[in-house]
Amino acid sequence: MIEVGDLSGVEADAFQWALEMSVKDTILETAIIRLIHTPGKGFCKTCDREFEMRNRLDICPSCGCFPSEISGGQEFRIISITGE
């Protein structure tokens, strides 16, 4: 399983396609690739609210300020590999 955050800078569909193409005609061709999408989360200190972000330029839906910090969605990592 590979975790891909909405704010990681990685286009998940393109990444999955590239992985599938790179293992073609190898012993990994039958591997199952699972991507987990993690939504972006921002925190606004102005109104003390956490909100979901689809991209880095999203603003707080309550007050219109940019987030004071980004607390999720930047992940791009391998969570697990299972083999036989």
Side-chain angles (χ1 to χ4, degrees), residues 54-75:
R54 291 275 179 211
N55 64 62
R56 291 190 178 271
L57 297 177
D58 284 351
I59 56 174
C60 175
S62 294
C63 68
C65 291
F66 285 103
S68 304
E69 66 182 69
I70 296 174
S71 59
Q74 300 178 85
E75 301 81 7

Side-chain angles (χ1 to χ4, degrees), residues 33-67:
I33 300 167
R34 292 193 179 114
L35 297 184
I36 297 172
H37 298 274
T38 305
K41 291 189 184 208
F43 179 75
C44 178
K45 285 186 181 175
T46 305
C47 61
D48 197 36
R49 180 177 177 184
E50 185 175 70
F51 59 95
E52 191 168 308
M53 299 174 67
R54 291 275 179 211
N55 64 62
R56 291 190 178 271
L57 297 177
D58 284 351
I59 56 174
C60 175
S62 294
C63 68
C65 291
F66 285 103

